[in-house]
Amino acid sequence: MTGTVRDRLARAGSATVANMLLRRGLRNVLMTGVRPLTAGQRPLVGPAYTLRFIPAREDLDILSGYASSDHLHRRAVEECPPGAVLVIDALGSTAAASMGDMMAARLKRRGVSGAVTDGGYRDSAAVARTGLPCFHRDNAPRATPVALHPVALDEPVGCGGVAVYPGDVLLGDADGVVVVPRHLVAEVAAEGADAAAYEEFAALQIERGRSLFGLFPGTSESRQEYDTWVAAGRPGLE
Amino acid sequence: MTGTVRDRLARAGSATVANMLLRRGLRNVLMTGVRPLTAGQRPLVGPAYTLRFIPAREDLDILSGYASSDHLHRRAVEECPPGAVLVIDALGSTAAASMGDMMAARLKRRGVSGAVTDGGYRDSAAVARTGLPCFHRDNAPRATPVALHPVALDEPVGCGGVAVYPGDVLLGDADGVVVVPRHLVAEVAAEGADAAAYEEFAALQIERGRSLFGLFPGTSESRQEYDTWVAAGRPGLE
Amino acid sequence: MTGTVRDRLARAGSATVANMLLRRGLRNVLMTGVRPLTAGQRPLVGPAYTLRFIPAREDLDILSGYASSDHLHRRAVEECPPGAVLVIDALGSTAAASMGDMMAARLKRRGVSGAVTDGGYRDSAAVARTGLPCFHRDNAPRATPVALHPVALDEPVGCGGVAVYPGDVLLGDADGVVVVPRHLVAEVAAEGADAAAYEEFAALQIERGRSLFGLFPGTSESRQEYDTWVAAGRPGLE
Amino acid sequence: MTGTVRDRLARAGSATVANMLLRRGLRNVLMTGVRPLTAGQRPLVGPAYTLRFIPAREDLDILSGYASSDHLHRRAVEECPPGAVLVIDALGSTAAASMGDMMAARLKRRGVSGAVTDGGYRDSAAVARTGLPCFHRDNAPRATPVALHPVALDEPVGCGGVAVYPGDVLLGDADGVVVVPRHLVAEVAAEGADAAAYEEFAALQIERGRSLFGLFPGTSESRQEYDTWVAAGRPGLE
Amino acid sequence: MTGTVRDRLARAGSATVANMLLRRGLRNVLMTGVRPLTAGQRPLVGPAYTLRFIPAREDLDILSGYASSDHLHRRAVEECPPGAVLVIDALGSTAAASMGDMMAARLKRRGVSGAVTDGGYRDSAAVARTGLPCFHRDNAPRATPVALHPVALDEPVGCGGVAVYPGDVLLGDADGVVVVPRHLVAEVAAEGADAAAYEEFAALQIERGRSLFGLFPGTSESRQEYDTWVAAGRPGLE
Amino acid sequence: MTGTVRDRLARAGSATVANMLLRRGLRNVLMTGVRPLTAGQRPLVGPAYTLRFIPAREDLDILSGYASSDHLHRRAVEECPPGAVLVIDALGSTAAASMGDMMAARLKRRGVSGAVTDGGYRDSAAVARTGLPCFHRDNAPRATPVALHPVALDEPVGCGGVAVYPGDVLLGDADGVVVVPRHLVAEVAAEGADAAAYEEFAALQIERGRSLFGLFPGTSESRQEYDTWVAAGRPGLE
């Protein structure tokens, strides 16, 4: 995906993008209970590369397994493409870690855009220090094999109650994480960025004491005012 | 309500005010699961103006409805009196937004004291930037009509498990939101501020190594010490 | 416990220490839903001194009871040994406060290491200001006697779903709180600190672009590299 | 509503009726967590008459209030029209009773069709013995004024997460309770009964070993077979 | 306790008995989420004998421990007095069994009145077959030592969110379990049985078409009617 | 699997079989929150054939999709082998149906042993009437495409928090559903049946007034008594 599309999505924000999808009949695109690891972290944007977990079984899931180079949890970290987002279906469980700080550091180093899980991370403070934009439900300090078994890479999964197909684009910010179906990314990004720009105009008007009626949601008249304002170089906007 | 009463309530704090109400037999006055939108935001005080939601129905609740000037969600934002608190009964649901940043900006501009919902806000970061003191359960980025239908203004509602009658006074701070029945506001504010002042005295004593026994809760002796200390100009208190 | 052991545990962190216990067959050592009162507070380490609550009964649990010097809630605050951690079994309930700011101030003054509850605190902002490292589930501003009755001091309890025997050592940090059985403290602290040191080495390697394979978890080869690195004075580590 | 419509709805069943509404774009029509008071009770059908609760306040909600003839909880029981269904918005709470056995007996005697609450009933065994078809979330033996305050009759409410407007028709059976908007009742009842009849045909075919493909969901061919079967007097159906 | 008291409590029922306690200012006497193991089982009445669990620890809680005759879980079953009720504080957890069918059979054989836990039972069908009146939250088929460690007998505990002091009397029926403080048992039983008798009279009146007003709650007039009816030998009551 | 193994597992029961697995270090084998559709239904035994769902997306999941013969939900019903158990990973969600009565009837007709989901069924009463042993969490009357998208057949899944690998054997009864790893089925069935037989002996002894000590858990002496009793033709057992 182009930098322009990334910028437009980030500028629009997850709540506005979700509205653009709602207009297309898609109601279930925002993950539930998945939040930024740290307040104020920068937005996350990128295509999904998925890792699917199922519950662990004591005879199959042992710490030593992590030494093997074909261990799926390890492979996910080494194979997630640069620029992509590692999306982890952790069954919504924080009974064990979806990832720890060593893995986060490696993802960051490999140029991965970020990580999203409907479970949680261990060593969460250290994960945050890597600077990798991460989203999760809550801390999950227990060792992964205690409760989670990696079973597949890059296949359709559910995360936070939303379907994620490989290649769908994720946008994460303070409001949470929205999933944009591949084929809608470009148009939704454009529409969303435009909506965000109009909101800047509306915010200015509200500051000047104008009521929401006829302003938000916009009308043809207010859209015209907006166009004039844009043509005039967006006066009043620092 | 007078500025003095506002100051006294804010100084007392929600936990102490709840104790004053408990002494009067009112046990259920603190909302459950309702927290400040941002850590460290200033206290919220003001009389309640309510908005009641019921679940949405797809044929009645459509985004375009928001253009109409008699849409109750819009009217709530335009009609909530300056100085009042907009209290939103959102059925405790974060399935859709109780409010977004444009509405918050308008409320702020209109001089409303703040907003409280047992649901959540969308564009929560932008809502926070408006500087309006807001309380909610959690982020709720989905568009309001997806799950909520505004059905009435300024009538008795439940919010966070507490009864809120129009005109009751709300006090919100780090501990949460307490609802003070209209007729008790003045006396509870006075009592609460006094209790808070005594706690400043007690805190000083504790710092000096004094045990809690005979100090907190106060005894007639310790109250006398307190009065002496007040008379002496509260020495030791910066 | 020695300062060395305290330092080693704090350096290792709760997630790593939990792994050391997992290797010894102890899987349920991390409290569930218990988090730091304030982000970035310093780690909590110390032996457990426990307070057990049961549900309150209106005829037995009245505010005035707190005046009596043999009230168990008060005694817990006066009798918890300096250096120890007050561990409160609050039945996982935030229906009433496990502690307030006056008690926290007294514990701090008495040299207690900190407090942990699976319930919550009232006046939480003021509790945080005391500087006492505190962990809880969520704010609980209601007066204690509304829902909790103190029934015993310094006996085995459950807290956050984990067994806590008097004298067990608690370690609390950003990830949560881990309980270390008395007899394992010294060896677990040593192992944990070593694991943490190795992670610093691994982090450096990852920064230089090295893959996790053969590095984390460590192999005999990588451990040798690590030893060389240590012998060389840990180059690259500020 | 006519007996025919009642019969058709009851025959169709709540799950099938919900599908008919789904085809019309209404997705949120089945209450969540609301179940029959007793297994095997007969279906409930009737137009909604609503009672709305808010949380109780100790000074307003006292047992003696129930002696007054204008107490809304009492009035609901005396004023709910024969044939109608008393729908109680109890805030989804079982902290206190939505109704007890005396009220249920009175409703039965007055010819009311049944009662639905998203809270629960007290003396539930005795309520069941009255024979009034009742739906609730779970037992709620505590006295109503402990937690609930009746605030309005026959206005739009939410119940089990679904909007209920006075006059909407409720259908309750083993699967739960579905709410049919007034203006759709007749056509949905007809469609639903037809769908149910086709399912009887399909069930017979399945028993004879036929696959679901081309049978369920029906095709034009299978619908023709069905019409022939109906014309032939539904052979094979006892 | 006398048979009369047992009969009166059973006849009154848990919901009515809770009301008698509410009149005495006791609001929290009904357990939350604790239900009969089998529908229609006979009422449970008897003084409490308690067993307290804390979370298990793998090195202390092993199946073989159950062979030892001083194992507290075993002792509870052998030492609970005939006529008493074994009340198990299981931390509200169904992660492991509070009891199984062998223990239930032994309790039954020893003449114990029944068992109550806020956790659950394993082999629940077999437990039911023993005929011992049992109450729990839900099935809990996992072996006890997996999650629960017995730590004390016959001390004050919490169960289902209610305080239970040894000797308090428990009454369990379809509505759930109510805890009656020792010193109130006799008077509450008498009052409750009287209230139940009046309800039989009121039910007859309702059947005859009488409104609830002036009948339920009773007035001095209706109480007189009731006395006359009793004097007349309760005509109309089979 | 042989009929003998089926009988032994059914006789042992899920709780006892879980203990046999616990002895082998497998602690997480019992599904959480998954219960029989109808009380008293006969035990379910058979190898797992799995269906995996992910959340639905409105543009991909439409009712008409069910007409296509390669629709995975349909194929699961037609392709699940006779004697096997259809295990449905529904993400633990009852927001939509895992299956309805037509599918259940078809599975029954095809000789499938039963169905297990961690979601729920629609037309649950009709599903029960088919006589197919079914387990679920709760009713789920909403149409499947509203919330669930079938994504794969016969691959490893999680169900009720337990890992299920194709071919693992499921045993479901009143206590719930236990998953037995393929390679352990025969030995666990034998051990379990033996344990169940010993429990019959122990139950007889308990009835005769014998204490649990030295009887349950069994000792070498009691096992000898048991062998004698078996040799004698199990006297006392009807």
Side-chain angles (χ1 to χ4, degrees), chain C residues 188-201:
Chain C
V188 160
E191 255 184 47
D194 174 70
Y198 181 82
E199 286 200 15
E200 291 172 341
F201 165 75

Side-chain angles (χ1 to χ4, degrees), chain D residues 52 70 82-83 93 111 115 119 131 144 172 174 187 190 201 212-213 217 224-226 236:
Chain D
R52 178 165 77 95
D70 60 7
S93 166
T144 306
E187 65 186 81
F201 165 75
L212 292 175
F213 296 127
Q224 246 167 14
E225 287 183 71
Y226 165 70

Side-chain angles (χ1 to χ4, degrees), chain D residues 15-16 19 22-23 27-28 30-32 35 174-176 199 202-203 206-213 216-217, chain F residues 58 63 66-69 74-75 77-78 101-103 105-106 109 121-125 138-139 141-143 146:
Chain D
T16 297
N19 272 4
L22 179 61
R23 290 205 188 126
R27 316 171 135 256
N28 187 33
L30 280 155
M31 295 186 182
T32 300
R35 60 195 76 251
D175 266 356
E199 285 200 16
I206 291 165
E207 225 164 86
R208 289 171 189 156
R210 182 161 165 183
S211 143
L212 292 175
F213 296 127
F216 190 80
Chain F
E58 288 84 346
L63 284 169
Y66 277 70
S68 144
S69 67
R74 287 280 177 256
R75 281 183 50 201
V77 173
E78 296 297 334
D101 57 336
M102 292 293 133
M103 286 183 166
R106 177 60 177 159
R109 184 62 175 71
Y121 305 116
R122 71 193 308 265
D123 281 320
S124 53
D138 201 356
N139 287 350
R142 294 181 186 79
V146 169

Side-chain angles (χ1 to χ4, degrees), chain F residues 3-21 23-24 171 180 184-202 223 226 229-230 234 237:
Chain F
T4 316
V5 171
R6 283 183 187 269
D7 297 346
R8 285 175 167 169
L9 287 172
R11 187 176 177 208
S14 59
T16 297
V17 165
N19 272 4
M20 304 304 135
L21 293 167
R23 292 208 188 123
R24 290 161 172 78
L171 164 64
V180 185
L184 298 173
V185 173
E187 65 186 80
V188 159
E191 255 184 46
D194 175 70
Y198 180 82
E199 286 200 15
E200 290 173 341
F201 165 75
R223 293 292 310 190
Y226 165 70
W229 174 75
V230 171
R234 305 173 188 262
L237 204 67

Side-chain angles (χ1 to χ4, degrees), chain B:
Chain B
M1 58 190 301
T2 68
T4 319
V5 171
R6 282 184 188 269
D7 297 345
R8 286 176 166 168
L9 287 172
R11 188 178 175 206
S14 58
T16 297
V17 165
N19 271 5
M20 303 304 135
L21 294 167
L22 179 61
R23 291 206 188 127
R24 290 162 171 77
L26 304 183
R27 316 172 134 255
N28 187 33
V29 294
L30 280 156
M31 294 186 182
T32 299
V34 176
R35 61 195 75 250
L37 177 58
T38 43
Q41 76 188 19
R42 63 173 209 281
L44 165 68
V45 188
Y49 177 87
T50 71
L51 165 62
R52 178 165 77 93
F53 279 113
I54 61 173
R57 213 175 74 188
E58 288 84 348
D59 57 340
L60 303 176
D61 298 286
I62 46 184
L63 283 169
S64 60
Y66 277 69
S68 143
S69 67
D70 60 6
H71 189 283
L72 284 176
H73 200 186
R74 288 278 177 257
R75 282 184 50 201
V77 173
E78 296 297 334
E79 298 176 15
C80 179
V85 174
L86 179 59
V87 179
I88 304 172
D89 170 358
L91 312 162
S93 166
T94 55
S98 291
M99 184 173 78
D101 57 336
M102 292 293 132
M103 286 182 165
R106 177 61 178 159
L107 287 172
K108 180 76 159 67
R109 184 62 176 70
R110 291 193 50 251
V112 166
S113 290
V116 174
T117 179
D118 57 7
Y121 305 116
R122 71 193 307 263
D123 279 322
S124 53
V127 170
R129 279 192 299 272
T130 65
L132 185 77
C134 291
F135 290 75
H136 72 174
R137 178 179 309 283
D138 200 357
N139 287 349
R142 293 182 187 78
T144 305
V146 169
L148 297 172
H149 174 85
V151 74
L153 298 179
D154 213 24
E155 67 176 30
V157 299
C159 187
V162 179
V164 180
Y165 292 85
D168 286 349
V169 170
L170 275 73
L171 164 64
D173 56 19
D175 266 355
V177 179
V178 62
V179 181
V180 186
R182 218 161 337 181
H183 65 288
L184 298 173
V185 173
E187 64 186 83
V188 159
E191 254 183 48
D194 176 70
Y198 180 81
E199 286 200 15
E200 290 171 341
F201 165 74
L204 269 177
Q205 299 298 312
I206 291 166
E207 227 164 85
R208 290 170 188 158
R210 184 161 164 182
S211 142
L212 293 175
F213 296 127
L215 174 67
F216 190 79
T219 62
S220 49
E221 293 72 20
S222 69
R223 292 292 309 189
Q224 247 167 13
E225 287 182 71
Y226 165 70
D227 296 335
T228 319
W229 174 75
V230 172
R234 308 176 186 258
L237 204 66
E238 57 290 335

Side-chain angles (χ1 to χ4, degrees), chain E residues 55-178:
Chain E
R57 212 175 74 188
E58 288 83 347
D59 57 341
L60 301 177
D61 298 286
I62 44 183
L63 284 169
S64 60
Y66 277 70
S68 143
S69 67
D70 59 6
H71 189 282
L72 283 176
H73 201 187
R74 288 279 177 255
R75 281 184 51 201
V77 173
E78 296 297 333
E79 298 176 17
C80 179
V85 174
L86 178 60
V87 179
I88 303 172
D89 171 357
L91 312 162
S93 165
T94 54
S98 291
M99 184 173 79
D101 58 336
M102 292 292 132
M103 286 182 166
R106 177 60 177 159
L107 287 173
K108 181 77 158 68
R109 184 62 176 69
R110 291 193 50 249
V112 167
S113 290
V116 174
T117 179
D118 56 8
Y121 304 116
R122 71 193 308 264
D123 281 320
S124 53
V127 170
R129 279 193 299 273
T130 65
L132 185 78
C134 291
F135 291 74
H136 73 173
R137 179 178 310 281
D138 200 355
N139 287 350
R142 293 182 187 78
T144 305
V146 169
L148 297 172
H149 174 84
V151 74
L153 298 180
D154 212 23
E155 67 177 29
V157 298
C159 187
V162 178
V164 180
Y165 292 84
D168 287 348
V169 170
L170 275 73
L171 165 63
D173 56 19
D175 267 356
V177 178
V178 63

Side-chain angles (χ1 to χ4, degrees), chain E residues 5-19:
Chain E
V5 171
R6 282 183 188 269
D7 297 346
R8 286 176 167 170
L9 287 172
R11 187 176 175 208
S14 59
T16 297
V17 165
N19 272 4

Side-chain angles (χ1 to χ4, degrees), chain D residues 19 22-23 198 211-219 222, chain F residues 51-78 86 88 90 95-104 120 122 140-151 153:
Chain D
N19 272 4
L22 179 61
R23 290 205 188 126
Y198 181 81
S211 143
L212 292 175
F213 296 127
L215 174 67
F216 190 80
T219 62
S222 69
Chain F
L51 165 62
R52 179 166 77 95
F53 279 114
I54 62 172
R57 213 175 74 187
E58 288 84 346
D59 57 341
L60 302 176
D61 298 287
I62 45 184
L63 284 169
S64 59
Y66 277 70
S68 144
S69 67
D70 60 6
H71 190 283
L72 284 176
H73 200 186
R74 287 280 177 256
R75 281 183 50 201
V77 173
E78 296 297 334
L86 179 59
I88 303 172
S98 290
M99 184 173 78
D101 57 336
M102 292 293 133
M103 286 183 166
R122 71 193 308 265
R142 294 181 186 79
T144 304
V146 169
L148 297 172
H149 174 85
V151 74
L153 297 180

